[in-house]
Amino acid sequence: MGITKMPPAYDPQKVEGKWYRWWEEHKYFHAEVEPDKEPFCIVMPPPNVTGELHMGHALDNTLQDVLTRWRRMSGYNALWLPGTDHAGIATQAKVEAQLAREGLSKYDLGREAFLKRVWTWKETYGNRITSQLRRLGASCDWDRERFTMDEGCSEAVREVFIRLYEQGLIYRDDYIVNWCPHCATTISDIEVEHLDVQAQLYFIKYPTPDGRDFVTVATTRPETMLGDTAVAVHPKDKRYRHLVGKEVVLPLMNRVIPVIADDYVDPVFGTGAVKITPAHDPNDFEIGRRHKLPEIRVIGTNGVMTTEAGPYAGMDRWECRQKVLADLGEQGLLARIEDLQHAVGHCYRCNTVVEPMISKQWFVRMKPLAEPAIRAVKEGRTRFVPERFTKVYLNWLENIRDWCISRQLWWGHRIPVWYCRECGKASASKDDLAACPNCGADKVVQDPDVLDTWFSSGLWPFSTLGWPKETPELKHFYPTSVLVTGRDIIFFWVARMIFSGLKFMGEVPFREVFIHGLVLDALGRKMSKSLGNGVDPLEVIEKYGADSLRFMLVTGNTPGNDLRFHFEKLEGARNFANKLWNASRFVIMNLEGYDPRFQPQRLDLSDRWIVSRFQQVAGAVDAFLRDYELGEAAGVLYEFIWDEFCDWYIELVKPRLYRGTPEERATAQHVLVNVLKGTLELLHPFMPFITEEIWQNLPHEGETIMLAPWPKARVEQVDRGAEEDMRLIISVIRAIRSLRAEMNVPPARRAEIILVVPEDGKRETMGHWRSYISDLASGDVEITRDLAAEPSQAAQAVVGGITIYVPLEGLIDIPQEIARLERELANVQKEVVRLEGKLDNEGFVAKAPADVVEKERQKLEDYRIKQETVAQRLAILKKSPAM
RNA sequence: GGGCGAUUAGCUCAGAGGGAGAGCACUUGCCUUACAAGCAAGGGGUCAGUGGUUCGAUCCCACUAUCGCCCACCA
């Protein structure tokens, strides 16, 4: 190692790839079960195999990596288990698009060949995201990487399905579901995104059979009227009481339908009369079932009107809407049209307007599963961080509806149910069936649908650890320690993992859920493909390095809050890395003659100070990490490295390195190396690459910083006295620098510095460490108890009971100095008045804690001394001949 | 309609019941043998508003305003 290998500007490109490969080759990420060690386990939220790393992933995985690396260094048996999700719709859509470019559809290939094709696609492109995670520095155990459709996970899915089925918790029924005409599949309630849309509310007249009366209904979806089987009004609505039990004629279809009364109807909305289309509206469906109304499907799965729509059959649903309106208008039945803003369900994948329709689907009965999941969180067996997300979770589960789990796709876990063509019985089976278990006929056919992707991801925390087999991993690492994820996924995933874990493992899947916010663009908008405002993490990594990206994502943010992406902030992180690099370069450049066995006999004040500060920082970082305050932990390190280690300690140590005795030099080297090394270790979870690079170039024990023991705060090295003394010295130096700057003293010019220190202890300290002041404030320091005569040509400052004079013959503009001191005096007086007021307040003195009162008294005392000193000085200056 | 979050320096954001902070931007002076991706010194804020609790509130409580997010079966 040497300067030649450490250029003055840190270049992450030369460093990052090298170390990652080395770590992975040496299996430092790999965790074997070590029963005598405390386990720490995170299962990675599996990104979609189709996915590419975006800022959300970068944040999520940085947080996980920080926690994992920290725990690993802290001696835990740390496992971070990675994997990918098969992402039913998304992946199938990708492959279908690929086929389309070849002029083919999945039907041309047939199910089997199509699935083969998807697997090929997965083998080819599926590891893109995992290689991108490697670029980020993710220290996950790739030897244990899983896929939601691999053999083990698939077995877990079947096992779960069968068990739930046998317990009657999975059922198949005709029910109103959300249908995406574009994806041609059902989607679950949470996959429907409600967007506010400016629309029209159409008022349509439904005449009575005798043509003498009519009732007007309001609807935003006039085409659904073709499937109407009733009109509903509120039971107490006097306007319509006479019609309840009677009939009206459904226009266009000329069908006679009943007028019914139901509490659901809001008498003040629209006309107070609602058309009821049980087959195409969730509410109408409920009402329909209550009143045993016929369910007529007029819209087909492709969004085209069915034969039930009579003359409108074959029309697209939007086209049909226009035609219906036109026809109604012609017949004078369209009473009026109003503008209405309301929420319309859209498919979260393709943004198509979702069509509610009745369909035979598979459902999970949620109430019995939700209940234990609610209890577990209420009892604190799983804790949300930040706590406020508990409520979001509970609200959802407390109002849960059954979960539609069947999807009309090919890519996914096929529903393990076979129907017998002979006897008609449906049989669920863990193993593929060739014959009907009921009648023995060999004419069985498997349900064509697959399961919702989230069905398998809900099992992730235990399926990846080997379940349903009782593996040592499962036993050791379950329940996992913490789940790290975005808040957008609490319903989709977190809740489902919790109820699945409770159901099948009898225990929550994780002790804590650490929820983070979204990464927004610089303007505070969500990053999205359609807006084109996303920032590509890989480009950032190439330009600034993964460490900078990670540091930027972690700092200046508080748990659960969103984070805006600013390049300025990224530059700040990059500059910090460079600062650390150069501080380390300084240390390494000055290691000549370093002997690791050397034990210093006498530490300088600055040594004791920086060591003490380091111990405090080590304690703070660890405490913040325990509280998931990663931003604070990183912030503490930033300040320590930049403000204390670089700006003060390195500057203070230079004279000893350059001109000190061999012993002084060795002592300085010893402290530099050890504090720097410890700091690198504390920083390693945040910035793994640069810390490894530097650590390897410092004298060290062990193979890698990754496995270096986490620095434990050693309280016996905390030295309050040294910290206090340094604080005083630093403020004296700052005061002198400030005077020099204000008086425009050229930096190169050495100044004369007189310190008047009345207090014995402080005078001794100042005397002992006067070289600090003379070196860092560039001046010749004289220390006295009191001054025979104040120099008139001098600038003055008062700090911590010490009066500083910087005689500046010819540089002092007396009137200007008077003005400056008067400003100073005014400030001091303000403080004195404020503190006097406070201490005169009997309530304060009586009720405030004694130490607070004492602190305030001390402050007042200091300010009074300062007030007096400055006032005296002013008096002298005002009498001086220069005036 | 409910719930949650935010409101602090020009910008982006931390923060704690007891003297308002950081980064960036800005001003001034420095290429000082680790770093100009830097050093030193500065300027800049009624901590959204109103009321309450308290000896003391920017922090805790209530309400209000503005912005954002989530949930919700009023067509």
Side-chain angles (χ1 to χ4, degrees):
Chain A
M1 189 65 211
I3 317 166
T4 46
K5 277 172 75 182
M6 285 191 85
Y10 174 59
D11 181 2
Q13 294 318 318
K14 293 212 177 98
V15 168
E16 297 188 343
K18 167 183 80 178
W19 287 120
Y20 198 91
R21 281 188 298 276
W22 186 77
W23 290 330
E24 201 175 348
E25 277 163 19
H26 286 74
K27 302 251 175 240
Y28 294 137
F29 305 152
H30 180 65
E32 281 297 323
V33 171
E34 296 176 74
D36 49 324
K37 271 167 94 177
E38 199 173 332
F40 177 82
C41 181
I42 296 181
V43 289
M44 175 189 291
N48 291 353
V49 270
T50 55
E52 296 202 44
L53 195 77
H54 56 62
M55 276 303 164
H57 293 126
L59 172 63
D60 192 49
N61 288 288
T62 295
L63 298 175
Q64 293 175 67
D65 197 40
V66 170
L67 295 173
T68 304
R69 286 179 183 269
W70 163 54
R71 293 292 192 182
R72 192 186 287 122
M73 290 173 77
S74 300
Y76 285 77
N77 187 189
L79 168 62
W80 182 16
L81 203 156
T84 49
D85 190 290
H86 66 279
I89 299 181
T91 312
Q92 177 158 335
K94 283 250 169 173
V95 177
E96 282 190 74
Q98 201 184 46
L99 283 177
R101 283 194 291 276
E102 299 164 24
L104 293 169
S105 84
K106 64 178 172 186
Y107 302 105
D108 296 327
L109 270 69
R111 185 160 189 149
E112 211 169 308
F114 178 76
L115 286 179
K116 232 179 179 167
R117 180 89 187 227
V118 185
W119 276 107
T120 311
W121 187 93
K122 191 251 168 192
E123 298 313 324
T124 316
Y125 301 106
N127 53 8
R128 189 172 41 192
I129 185 102
T130 55
S131 68
Q132 291 172 331
L133 282 167
R134 286 174 165 90
R135 297 285 305 278
L136 188 68
S139 70
C140 38
D141 187 350
W142 296 111
D143 296 343
R144 297 185 184 275
E145 181 184 346
R146 297 298 298 271
F147 178 55
T148 48
M149 267 173 66
D150 66 25
E151 206 178 307
C153 289
S154 300
E155 192 195 344
V157 165
R158 277 212 178 178
E159 181 74 29
V160 164
F161 187 96
I162 302 299
R163 286 202 205 173
L164 291 175
Y165 182 83
E166 283 170 357
Q167 294 171 29
L169 291 170
I170 283 183
Y171 64 92
R172 187 170 184 244
D173 198 4
D174 276 309
Y175 203 81
I176 192 110
V177 294
N178 309 292
W179 182 269
C180 173
H182 179 261
C183 300
T185 180
T186 51
I187 54 179
S188 67
D189 291 343
I190 45 175
E191 286 168 316
V192 176
E193 223 173 291
H194 295 272
L195 302 175
D196 261 355
V197 167
Q198 193 52 247
Q200 278 78 42
L201 186 60
Y202 303 95
F203 291 79
I204 305 168
K205 292 181 189 172
Y206 287 16
T208 52
D210 58 14
R212 288 213 295 235
D213 198 1
F214 62 86
V215 53
T216 305
V217 298
T219 180
T220 52
R221 296 187 297 153
E223 69 281 6
T224 62
M225 70 174 285
L226 305 174
D228 281 5
T229 52
V231 168
V233 298
H234 194 272
K236 288 192 183 133
D237 195 330
K238 290 190 185 121
R239 292 172 296 173
Y240 299 111
R241 194 167 280 170
H242 65 289
L243 284 173
V244 174
K246 305 251 172 63
E247 291 175 324
V248 290
V249 178
L250 178 65
L252 307 181
M253 301 301 283
N254 293 315
R255 187 158 66 229
V256 174
I257 56 174
V259 177
I260 58 172
D262 195 287
D263 280 337
Y264 156 77
V265 180
D266 177 358
V268 282
F269 187 87
T271 61
V274 190
K275 58 187 275 310
I276 301 297
T277 323
H280 293 289
D281 183 278
N283 301 309
D284 296 6
F285 175 80
E286 302 282 344
I287 295 174
R289 290 260 158 129
R290 274 204 289 278
H291 295 267
K292 304 208 170 14
L293 299 172
E295 295 161 352
I296 304 176
R297 285 184 48 176
V298 292
I299 304 172
T301 50
N302 46 4
V304 170
M305 307 309 288
T306 66
T307 51
E308 297 277 13
Y312 302 91
M315 285 185 192
D316 172 78
R317 53 182 169 155
W318 308 122
E319 182 191 351
C320 175
R321 175 177 296 181
Q322 294 315 314
K323 185 78 171 90
V324 163
L325 288 170
D327 292 349
L328 286 171
E330 231 166 74
Q331 298 178 27
L333 294 172
L334 189 55
R336 64 178 195 278
I337 303 173
E338 282 177 10
D339 284 337
L340 178 77
Q341 192 176 336
H342 72 143
V344 175
H346 290 69
C347 173
Y348 85 122
R349 283 240 152 258
C350 68
N351 217 30
T352 304
V353 172
V354 166
E355 203 62 51
M357 61 177 69
I358 288 181
S359 173
K360 194 181 279 291
Q361 300 292 340
W362 288 95
F363 294 88
V364 174
R365 214 177 290 286
M366 285 307 303
K367 280 269 171 337
L369 292 169
E371 201 267 325
I374 292 168
R375 206 172 340 117
V377 168
K378 279 191 173 162
E379 286 169 0
R381 278 184 281 148
T382 291
R383 189 172 74 93
F384 280 81
V385 179
E387 207 203 328
R388 63 176 185 271
F389 293 108
T390 313
K391 210 164 154 182
V392 178
Y393 166 90
L394 290 175
N395 274 346
W396 189 69
L397 280 179
E398 280 162 359
N399 300 300
I400 194 81
R401 298 172 63 178
D402 284 354
W403 173 19
C404 176
I405 50 170
S406 43
R407 295 291 180 274
Q408 288 64 50
L409 304 171
W410 287 355
W411 176 242
H413 300 279
R414 194 158 172 183
I415 289 171
V417 172
W418 284 259
Y419 306 103
C420 177
R421 285 201 184 133
E422 208 61 49
C423 68
K425 184 152 168 50
S427 313
S429 168
K430 232 195 134 173
D431 301 311
D432 289 2
L433 287 185
C436 174
N438 187 44
C439 71
D442 59 359
K443 288 178 188 158
V444 288
V445 55
Q446 189 175 3
D447 194 296
D449 289 354
V450 300
L451 291 164
D452 182 1
T453 298
W454 298 101
F455 192 92
S456 52
S457 22
L459 318 179
W460 194 241
F462 46 98
S463 65
T464 52
L465 290 170
W467 191 88
K469 293 186 192 70
E470 282 182 37
T471 60
E473 284 81 1
L474 192 62
K475 215 174 143 197
H476 188 56
F477 290 112
Y478 193 95
T480 66
S481 312
V482 55
L483 178 84
V484 181
T485 193
R487 61 152 179 267
D488 49 334
I489 216 171
I490 293 176
F491 307 139
F492 280 101
W493 195 44
V494 179
R496 284 165 180 170
M497 281 190 288
I498 293 179
F499 68 67
S500 303
L502 287 165
K503 178 77 186 169
F504 297 100
M505 292 296 299
E507 183 52 283
V508 292
F510 24 74
R511 296 294 177 201
E512 291 178 316
V513 183
F514 179 35
I515 301 283
H516 60 253
L518 265 43
V519 185
L520 307 174
D521 74 1
L523 300 174
R525 303 170 302 181
K526 252 188 216 179
M527 287 189 179
S528 75
K529 271 200 183 138
S530 54
L531 272 175
N533 61 343
V535 179
D536 181 357
L538 290 167
E539 281 177 26
V540 169
I541 288 171
E542 267 160 39
K543 231 169 156 179
Y544 296 86
D547 285 332
S548 300
L549 174 61
R550 293 165 60 111
F551 198 79
M552 177 270 187
L553 288 171
V554 158
T555 41
N557 184 247
T558 204
N561 280 11
D562 291 344
L563 169 83
R564 287 195 201 197
F565 191 96
H566 283 276
F567 278 94
E568 291 84 349
K569 196 173 167 193
L570 190 61
E571 275 169 25
R574 191 263 322 260
N575 293 353
F576 174 59
N578 196 52
K579 187 73 180 175
L580 175 65
W581 178 255
N582 276 291
S584 307
R585 205 162 73 96
F586 170 82
V587 173
I588 290 164
M589 279 163 61
N590 286 288
L591 277 191
E592 211 180 319
Y594 174 80
D595 179 356
R597 288 160 311 177
F598 173 81
Q599 283 303 318
Q601 298 304 303
R602 241 189 18 247
L603 293 179
D604 251 26
L605 171 63
S606 60
D607 299 331
R608 281 182 280 127
W609 168 73
I610 199 72
V611 168
S612 176
R613 290 294 309 132
F614 172 79
Q615 301 306 346
Q616 310 249 35
V617 165
V621 169
D622 197 71
F624 280 132
L625 285 174
R626 282 174 197 280
D627 288 343
Y628 294 99
E629 294 276 4
L630 277 66
E632 288 291 302
V636 164
L637 283 164
Y638 181 96
E639 281 170 24
F640 176 72
I641 290 170
W642 201 309
D643 300 343
E644 296 184 304
F645 189 70
C646 292
D647 287 350
W648 289 99
Y649 186 68
I650 285 184
E651 295 307 321
L652 286 166
V653 98
K654 277 176 181 174
R656 273 190 289 161
L657 286 176
Y658 298 156
R659 312 184 287 274
T661 63
E663 166 120 13
E664 283 175 337
R665 205 176 134 80
T667 302
Q669 287 173 334
H670 174 87
V671 177
L672 279 171
V673 167
N674 285 294
V675 171
L676 176 59
K677 203 161 52 179
T679 308
L680 290 168
E681 286 156 3
L682 292 175
L683 188 64
H684 177 258
F686 302 91
M687 303 182 109
F689 295 110
I690 190 175
T691 50
E692 179 78 284
E693 174 75 10
I694 298 168
W695 191 87
Q696 293 287 351
N697 286 304
L698 282 172
H700 64 270
E701 280 170 29
E703 289 173 49
T704 167
I705 192 172
M706 273 192 66
L707 302 179
W710 181 249
K712 224 176 147 258
R714 296 170 63 176
V715 279
E716 77 277 9
Q717 291 188 355
V718 170
D719 188 335
R720 304 271 176 204
E723 291 195 25
E724 203 174 305
D725 287 349
M726 268 313 294
R727 231 190 331 266
L728 186 63
I729 288 172
I730 285 172
S731 49
V732 167
I733 292 170
R734 285 213 165 111
I736 297 164
R737 284 172 172 173
S738 181
L739 288 178
R740 293 180 56 122
E742 279 185 70
M743 298 299 143
N744 296 313
V745 183
R749 172 165 162 179
R750 282 191 77 77
E752 190 187 337
I753 297 161
I754 304 165
L755 301 183
V756 183
V757 194
E759 207 177 300
D760 290 345
K762 281 184 188 168
R763 198 167 55 254
E764 199 177 311
T765 305
M766 291 295 140
H768 203 151
W769 306 109
R770 90 171 61 203
S771 67
Y772 292 168
I773 300 168
S774 68
D775 286 330
L776 270 60
S778 41
D780 304 311
V781 183
E782 182 193 336
I783 296 162
T784 65
R785 176 191 289 275
D786 42 26
L787 216 51
E790 288 189 30
S792 61
Q793 288 284 312
Q796 184 214 44
V798 185
V799 151
I802 297 177
T803 309
I804 302 161
Y805 293 95
V806 181
L808 292 164
E809 209 65 49
L811 283 173
I812 302 285
D813 178 336
I814 302 281
Q816 200 184 308
E817 176 70 355
I818 288 173
R820 190 181 69 83
L821 289 172
E822 272 171 347
R823 279 198 305 274
E824 177 105 15
L825 186 61
N827 283 336
V828 174
Q829 266 161 349
K830 223 164 62 191
E831 285 303 306
V832 169
V833 169
R834 191 181 66 82
L835 288 164
E836 278 174 348
K838 203 166 188 178
L839 287 161
D840 283 347
N841 181 340
E842 275 174 39
F844 173 73
V845 181
K847 295 193 180 174
D851 59 317
V852 172
V853 177
E854 185 43 44
K855 232 175 93 191
E856 299 292 301
R857 282 216 172 96
Q858 188 55 50
K859 264 193 275 182
L860 177 59
E861 186 60 23
D862 284 354
Y863 276 115
R864 277 182 173 150
I865 291 170
K866 186 163 179 172
Q867 183 183 25
E868 200 178 315
T869 316
V870 174
Q872 265 176 23
R873 178 70 187 165
L874 270 169
I876 290 170
L877 286 184
K878 282 179 179 166
K879 275 191 279 179
S880 83
M883 278 306 287

